[in-house]
Amino acid sequence: MAALTSASGILALLDEQQPELQVYALQNLNNLVNEFWAEISDSVAKIEILYEDSQFSQRELAALVASKVYYHLGELDESLTFALGAGQSFDLTEKSEYVETIISKCIDKYISLRTLQATGDNAEEIDPRLQNIVERMFQRCSDDHEYEQAIGVALESRRLDVVKTMIERGSPHKLLPYVLEVCMTLVQNLDFRNQVLRLLVTLYRELQEPDYISISQCLVHLNDSSSCTELLRDLIEKDDVSMAYQIAFDLEENATQDFLLRVSKELPQPETPPKEEGAEEDAEEPALSEKDEAFKKIRSILSGEETIRLNLEFLYRNNNTDLLILKNTKNALESRNSIYHSAVTFANAFMHAGTTSDEFLRQNLEWLSRATNWSKFSATAALGVIHKGQLAQSMNLLSPYLPQDGGNGSSVYSEGGSLYALGLINANTGTGVLDYLKNSLKEAQSDVIQHGACLGLGVAGMATDNEDIYNELKNTLFSDSAVAGEAAGLAMGLVMLGTAAPEAIEEMLQYAHETQHEKIIRGLAIGISLIMYGKEEKADALIDQLLDDKDPVLRYGGIYTIAMAYSGTGNNKAIRRLLHVAVSDVNDDVRRAAVTALGFILLRNPKQVPRIVQLLAESYNPHVRYGAALALGISCAGTGYLDALELLEPMTKDPVDFVRQGALISQAMILVQQTENTNSKVAGVRKLYEKIINDKHEDPMAKFGAALAQGIIDAGGRNVTISLVSRTGHANMPAIIGTAIFTQFWYWYPLTHMLSLAFTPTAIIGLNKNLETPKFEFVSNVRPSLFAYPPQLKPPSTAVVEKVATAVLSTTAKTKARAKKSEKEKADHMDIDKEPVSKEEEKKEETTNKDEKKPSKKKKEENFEVLENMARVVPAQLKYISFKEDSRYSPLKKNNVGGITMLLDKTPGEMEDLIQPSAPSGESSDANQAEEEAPPFEPFEYPFDD
């Protein structure tokens, strides 16, 4: 039978009066439409008439043919309308491009209508036929076991009932983590996200073995402290103490101070609270029941004391700072120039952050004494970064610098800096020092001391929502001192962080319009943005108001409000708005901030950032280029992401000095804890920093950036990473806030120290049920050199001496020449033979030595490494970690092991071998600390003599 070349014969049947012929025609056209759609389109009106005829028996078939014709014509809306009319004739199971396209069109339409209904913008009713197709699609997904696909559509169309049904039909253990991840990364509406999280909490509880860790994560996102308290109480009642402690550690890592304080207050109090201090406390210890003891430990964990103690111990034990890098930088930079002095101060603070090692400062007291004015403020504040976490000793450590009662202190700058340092030591866990700082602020006469006290209060009282502190800061603000007012505005935002308190915003905004001081307006603008942290759509009205303001500083605040409100959400509307401002605002500062803010929005999607800022990185405007550099550094921090580094590379050679500065800092943020084995760019970047610092013709701005970058890339004794998203996928609030304020160093260098809030120790710390660290081993299934510390620099002195001895002395050269001459006269040929032979022999010896060394290295370089408790494990290494099967201890969390992990003891009756703490924890340790730190002085004295 010959193939059809035209559909005209079949189309002619549509004009017949007999319905049977018309039906026959439609059935044939349905099969031929993909081939002859152009010809059929001329008669589509006849097919539509048949569909509209209520007496016609095959209306659905007519609709299907019409739908296919319009699909081929590219009229997708018309095609969808007729597909809906086709009812059951539209076969969802058919594997064709037409069906797939119409289903996706249906789903898009359905999602947009459901979203409009939910937001109340348009109460248009959803066509029951459309609803029917979507329901059939859900059923098809269920039948094909494509549960994740159905859940994705259900979340977008806000169908919680479908989400629940699909999870129950599928495998809850596999689907619940998927829904949690999708919910936190893709669901952009805050209210609906909270509804999904409530559903997840219910479903996690209904599992045969409830997943308490995931439940606690959901409750933190929901800001539901009472349910968290209830969860902890239930676990203690069930005698599942280790799980309760693990949840408490996770809460401490992810929740705000205010949230943790609420949980602590709601926990049951011991029945016999201690009435006196001292001896009675000892007598009371045995009286505490096991449950009360457990609640006491949970309170200690929630206060942050345990985490800080363990991190301090880890950083102190594993400190691997290379002091020679700092020393070379200090020698290369002229210390009389305050910008260079500050650069070395910040580099030292970052390199030793949390390690308690002030060795560099002790070795360079004369250099330190050259600091004046605000350099002295920053240098004193650096002690807060170095000793971060020494809560119990913070007052003793800083007592020589703190303001003295009634007496005149050494310098207002060191007094102000010490108050700031006190805040940094107690960052985000400041209950012990808030009263002292508040009183210092009240009594301070100098605006410099007020400045330090405000910054200290802000950092230590972060997110406490403390009314008294807020009022005290407000009084300082109203004194209208530019220096004190700037810090007060910033601190007000820090204290009220994430509360969206309308009165606070109104007062701050009103004062920003009244004052004449640009510094105060800037402090308030950033403070306002912090109050809206994490509020997403609720911040939109304020964002509109700030971005419409004629004052560029307040517009700048509006940009940071977008960054803080939508940080880590990847919200498309926020990204569009920032990109629009980045190319349209008349003020360079606002444009720079808009590009920088992209880094905060896309924290969870760092791989998108290079693509988005690629064109901006080549902008004619240097401020936009600088913003692009920082956006890359912030979003890709700690990832070693090559696409970002390749974009930054040309920016390190930019003609404008501050663009080079931004690129150098961002490179360090991305390459923190990367090694030459994991990232090929590391060696080149380190050499570049050295070259820029030693180049006498380089601009001070770029040198400052290079010195700062050296501190960041080796931060925390090379044991910390910059992590703006926690291991569990939460936004790391202190880190995001610290980084946002760090970016303000453009205007005010002391704020550079705030980056230390983003430093996250990279350790595996295992604890037993008594919160002690037992000795145990685990395996890193990768060769040790891959994630090892970078090699320490070698002092050049010995090599230099050899070169000088051989090259410079002319007398020895003459005597050698004479000796050679006389030897030639005696036995010329033998000498000629001997000399090259000896060189060859030397070469042979060298090569044989190398050959001997090589196989020994290969033998040592195993494919795995056995690590002990409290070992440094970088984030990229976590996936290679496994616990020995025959080990006494196994982790409570089966996946996502990292940070502080509770251990299950398989033989609880046996004696435990514990790791004894070595970090300084009391006054008695000062002498020990001096003894421990004394030996390293010798190697570093030698180069001074050269």
Side-chain angles (χ1 to χ4, degrees):
M1 182 181 163
L4 276 176
T5 56
S6 168
S8 56
I10 298 166
L11 287 168
L13 294 176
L14 293 174
D15 297 326
E16 297 291 332
Q17 296 302 312
Q18 291 169 296
E20 292 83 0
L21 290 172
Q22 291 171 329
V23 170
Y24 175 78
L26 288 171
Q27 285 168 345
N28 279 282
L29 288 173
N30 188 33
N31 297 328
L32 299 169
V33 70
N34 291 341
E35 200 176 340
F36 298 111
W37 60 268
E39 198 176 345
I40 298 168
S41 64
D42 291 335
S43 305
V44 75
K46 296 174 187 175
I47 299 169
E48 286 183 39
I49 290 166
L50 289 176
Y51 164 64
E52 287 161 8
D53 183 0
S54 56
Q55 305 299 316
F56 185 59
S57 60
Q58 293 291 329
R59 290 180 65 207
E60 289 184 352
L61 182 59
L64 182 63
V65 176
S67 173
K68 287 181 179 179
V69 173
Y70 280 117
Y71 163 73
H72 285 293
L73 288 167
E75 298 286 346
L76 294 183
D77 289 330
E78 290 287 329
S79 180
L80 173 60
T81 307
F82 282 107
L84 294 177
Q88 296 300 318
S89 296
F90 181 67
D91 182 8
L92 292 177
T93 57
E94 184 188 318
K95 299 286 182 191
S96 71
E97 196 179 324
Y98 160 70
V99 171
E100 297 297 329
T101 308
I102 296 302
I103 287 177
S104 68
K105 189 77 181 162
C106 267
I107 291 167
D108 289 347
K109 176 98 172 167
Y110 183 71
I111 288 169
S112 66
L113 289 171
R114 288 279 304 175
T115 309
L116 286 171
Q117 276 189 350
T119 52
D121 292 347
N122 189 351
E124 184 187 331
E125 282 298 312
I126 293 172
D127 190 328
R129 299 172 303 173
L130 179 64
Q131 182 89 26
N132 179 39
I133 286 186
V134 174
E135 295 294 347
R136 282 162 58 202
M137 194 279 304
F138 283 137
Q139 188 58 48
R140 172 185 152 189
C141 287
S142 179
D143 295 341
D144 295 347
H145 302 292
E146 295 281 355
Y147 300 113
E148 291 176 357
Q149 198 176 359
I151 285 168
V153 175
L155 285 172
E156 284 202 74
S157 57
R158 307 195 183 190
R159 287 287 302 275
L160 280 179
D161 55 327
V162 177
V163 174
K164 186 178 179 185
T165 308
M166 292 298 162
I167 291 171
E168 287 167 349
R169 285 183 190 170
S171 159
H173 287 285
K174 184 183 166 195
L175 290 173
L176 282 169
Y178 169 75
V179 176
L180 180 57
E181 187 190 349
V182 169
C183 172
M184 293 317 301
T185 51
L186 300 178
V187 176
Q188 296 197 342
N189 182 276
L190 191 59
D191 293 333
F192 179 64
R193 190 188 309 147
N194 289 347
Q195 289 172 30
V196 179
L197 290 169
R198 286 268 172 229
L199 173 67
L200 288 175
V201 169
T202 311
L203 294 173
Y204 273 123
R205 284 185 193 277
E206 289 170 0
L207 292 174
Q208 281 185 330
E209 290 181 14
D211 185 345
Y212 295 114
I213 289 170
S214 297
I215 291 171
S216 67
Q217 278 188 47
C218 294
L219 293 173
V220 170
H221 286 306
L222 289 164
N223 199 20
D224 187 350
S225 57
S226 51
S227 295
C228 269
T229 312
E230 202 179 307
L231 180 65
L232 291 169
R233 201 186 290 125
D234 289 349
L235 288 168
I236 298 294
E237 294 294 334
K238 290 177 189 167
D239 206 26
D240 194 351
V241 178
S242 295
M243 180 60 81
Y245 292 163
Q246 183 67 66
I247 286 171
F249 276 117
D250 287 356
L251 288 175
E252 193 281 326
E253 186 183 5
N254 297 313
T256 64
Q257 269 197 78
D258 182 41
F259 184 94
L260 298 171
L261 287 169
R262 292 203 307 268
V263 173
S264 288
K265 278 179 190 167
E266 290 169 18
L267 285 172
Q269 299 291 336
E271 289 173 17
T272 52
K275 290 175 186 176
E276 291 179 32
E277 291 184 5
E280 191 145 320
E281 240 177 76
D282 300 333
E284 186 232 348
E285 284 297 326
L288 279 177
S289 67
E290 278 186 27
K291 285 179 185 172
D292 284 341
E293 187 64 41
F295 284 127
K296 184 181 173 188
K297 281 182 177 164
I298 287 175
R299 274 194 199 86
S300 168
I301 294 167
L302 294 175
S303 70
E305 287 171 25
E306 295 297 328
T307 307
I308 288 165
R309 174 180 67 81
L310 292 163
N311 284 337
L312 187 69
E313 176 69 29
F314 162 71
L315 292 172
Y316 180 78
R317 272 173 181 275
N318 298 287
N319 183 10
N320 196 268
T321 307
D322 191 345
L323 282 172
L324 200 51
I325 295 176
L326 266 178
K327 188 181 167 192
N328 292 343
T329 301
K330 177 194 75 91
N331 292 341
L333 297 179
E334 177 53 63
S335 61
R336 279 173 297 190
N337 187 333
S338 69
I339 184 175
Y340 293 153
H341 198 290
S342 293
V344 179
T345 298
F346 295 133
N348 173 47
F350 288 161
M351 280 192 195
H352 290 101
T355 62
T356 74
S357 169
D358 51 9
E359 192 180 330
F360 177 77
L361 299 176
R362 289 186 188 192
Q363 286 180 15
N364 297 286
L365 292 171
E366 192 269 331
W367 167 83
L368 195 60
S369 66
R370 291 186 203 156
T372 55
N373 301 338
W374 288 105
S375 291
K376 187 180 278 191
F377 180 93
S378 295
T380 316
L383 291 172
V385 178
I386 293 168
H387 294 285
K388 186 171 182 277
Q390 280 195 287
L391 307 184
Q393 281 184 280
S394 55
M395 297 296 286
N396 292 341
L397 285 165
L398 296 169
S399 56
Y401 313 101
L402 289 167
Q404 305 299 317
D405 292 336
N408 290 325
S410 54
S411 155
V412 288
Y413 291 100
S414 62
E415 286 180 6
S418 66
L419 292 170
Y420 182 18
L422 190 61
L424 288 165
I425 290 177
N426 295 272
N428 203 25
T429 48
T431 43
V433 295
L434 288 176
D435 288 338
Y436 175 81
L437 284 166
K438 193 168 69 175
N439 292 334
S440 298
L441 179 60
K442 260 186 199 170
E443 292 163 13
Q445 301 298 315
S446 160
D447 55 0
V448 178
I449 297 175
Q450 286 178 329
H451 184 88
C454 286
L455 289 176
L457 269 174
V459 185
M462 193 189 290
T464 49
D465 193 10
N466 186 314
E467 198 66 36
D468 293 344
I469 294 174
Y470 174 77
N471 288 330
E472 198 56 52
L473 290 165
K474 192 165 66 176
N475 293 340
T476 307
L477 175 74
F478 290 163
S479 67
D480 208 42
S481 154
V483 171
E486 181 182 28
L490 192 58
M492 286 159 80
L494 282 166
V495 171
M496 304 303 277
L497 178 62
T499 57
E503 307 85 27
I505 289 169
E506 198 177 325
E507 285 175 337
M508 290 165 81
L509 205 51
Q510 188 181 347
Y511 194 74
H513 283 121
E514 287 171 7
T515 185
Q516 299 299 307
H517 296 291
E518 189 179 302
K519 283 171 81 72
I520 294 179
I521 301 171
R522 181 164 291 108
L524 287 167
I526 300 300
I528 289 168
S529 73
L530 300 178
I531 294 177
M532 277 300 178
Y533 172 79
K535 290 301 168 197
E536 298 182 33
E537 298 93 17
K538 292 177 185 169
D540 283 351
L542 176 65
I543 291 167
D544 292 340
Q545 185 183 349
L546 288 169
L547 289 182
D548 290 341
D549 202 288
K550 65 178 188 293
D551 186 340
V553 182
L554 285 176
R555 292 205 301 280
Y556 179 90
I559 294 297
Y560 270 91
T561 309
I562 296 176
M564 294 297 96
Y566 288 99
S567 62
T569 61
N571 186 287
N572 290 328
K573 188 176 76 175
I575 293 169
R576 272 199 303 273
R577 189 151 199 182
L578 290 172
L579 288 170
H580 174 69
V581 173
V583 295
S584 65
D585 201 278
V586 293
N587 185 276
D588 283 337
D589 288 354
V590 179
R591 294 177 69 171
R592 185 182 72 246
V595 188
T596 306
L598 289 168
F600 290 102
I601 306 288
L602 291 163
L603 288 178
R604 295 182 207 271
N605 319 75
K607 294 193 173 178
Q608 286 185 20
V609 181
R611 188 172 54 81
I612 289 175
V613 302
Q614 193 170 9
L615 291 173
L616 295 169
E618 296 167 10
S619 167
Y620 72 93
N621 187 322
H623 291 264
V624 173
R625 297 201 297 275
Y626 175 91
L630 276 194
L632 289 164
I634 290 162
S635 59
C636 304
T639 61
Y641 189 41
L642 283 169
D643 284 12
L645 291 168
E646 277 164 15
L647 265 183
L648 287 169
E649 214 164 299
M651 293 164 88
T652 59
K653 305 179 185 80
D654 197 276
V656 179
D657 54 0
F658 63 77
V659 178
R660 295 200 295 280
Q661 181 194 75
L664 295 168
I665 291 168
S666 291
Q667 278 182 328
M669 290 172 81
I670 294 169
L671 287 172
V672 65
Q673 280 202 333
Q674 298 287 323
T675 66
E676 287 174 42
N677 292 320
T678 57
N679 195 305
S680 55
K681 304 269 185 193
V682 172
V685 167
R686 284 180 181 275
K687 279 179 188 154
L688 176 67
Y689 296 158
E690 209 175 316
K691 177 176 164 287
I692 288 172
I693 287 165
N694 288 304
D695 184 351
K696 288 182 179 167
H697 305 293
E698 186 58 85
D699 290 298
M701 293 277 274
K703 284 190 176 187
F704 180 87
L708 214 57
Q710 281 189 328
I712 293 167
I713 204 167
D714 285 336
R718 295 177 168 171
N719 292 309
V720 300
T721 186
I722 295 174
S723 176
L724 304 194
V725 179
S726 72
R727 276 177 289 269
T728 48
H730 288 67
N732 183 349
M733 187 196 73
I736 291 171
I737 300 309
T739 310
I741 300 175
F742 162 73
T743 59
Q744 309 309 312
F745 81 86
W746 176 277
Y747 304 102
W748 193 235
Y749 281 150
L751 297 179
T752 308
H753 286 311
M754 289 285 191
L755 187 64
S756 63
L757 299 182
F759 294 160
T760 310
T762 51
I764 287 183
I765 303 173
L767 299 181
N768 63 15
K769 64 178 181 185
N770 298 322
L771 303 185
E772 297 162 327
T773 44
K775 287 185 180 174
F776 78 96
E777 293 180 338
F778 54 93
V779 181
S780 168
N781 297 297
V782 71
R783 66 181 199 277
S785 64
L786 192 63
F787 298 112
Y789 290 111
Q792 299 265 342
L793 290 184
K794 288 175 185 168
S797 51
T798 50
V800 170
V801 170
E802 273 177 30
K803 280 179 186 172
V804 168
T806 53
V808 174
L809 291 173
S810 58
T811 52
T812 54
K814 284 174 185 175
T815 51
K816 274 186 181 179
R818 278 194 213 111
K820 274 185 184 177
K821 203 172 183 183
S822 59
E823 278 171 356
K824 268 184 184 178
E825 285 168 9
K826 287 176 189 174
D828 200 30
H829 291 289
M830 284 177 68
D831 280 3
I832 292 166
D833 286 343
K834 269 183 184 175
E835 209 170 298
V837 167
S838 65
K839 283 182 181 176
E840 280 171 24
E841 279 173 5
E842 278 174 20
K843 282 179 184 174
K844 277 181 186 173
E845 278 175 17
E846 281 175 17
T847 51
T848 49
N849 286 346
K850 281 179 186 174
D851 290 342
E852 280 169 18
K853 283 178 190 174
K854 276 180 186 172
S856 66
K857 273 189 182 178
K858 278 179 187 171
K859 281 177 192 171
K860 284 179 189 172
E861 185 75 327
E862 300 280 0
N863 286 332
F864 67 91
E865 183 182 14
V866 177
L867 300 169
E868 293 187 342
N869 197 2
M870 293 200 116
R872 167 189 186 260
V873 179
V874 301
Q877 194 178 355
L878 284 172
K879 60 186 173 200
Y880 301 109
I881 297 297
S882 63
F883 283 74
K884 295 180 175 179
E885 287 182 16
D886 59 348
S887 172
R888 175 176 174 178
Y889 301 98
S890 64
L892 184 68
K893 286 202 274 192
K894 294 302 171 229
N895 43 12
N896 192 15
V897 173
I900 297 170
T901 305
M902 294 305 297
L903 300 172
L904 297 173
D905 190 350
K906 293 172 188 171
T907 54
E910 292 180 19
M911 279 282 289
E912 291 185 281
D913 191 2
L914 302 174
I915 296 174
Q916 296 306 318
S918 58
S921 57
E923 290 173 35
S924 60
S925 68
D926 286 1
N928 299 342
Q929 190 180 351
E931 279 178 54
E932 283 169 21
E933 288 180 358
F937 273 51
E938 291 169 20
F940 300 110
E941 282 179 20
Y942 191 73
F944 273 126
D945 299 333
D946 290 352

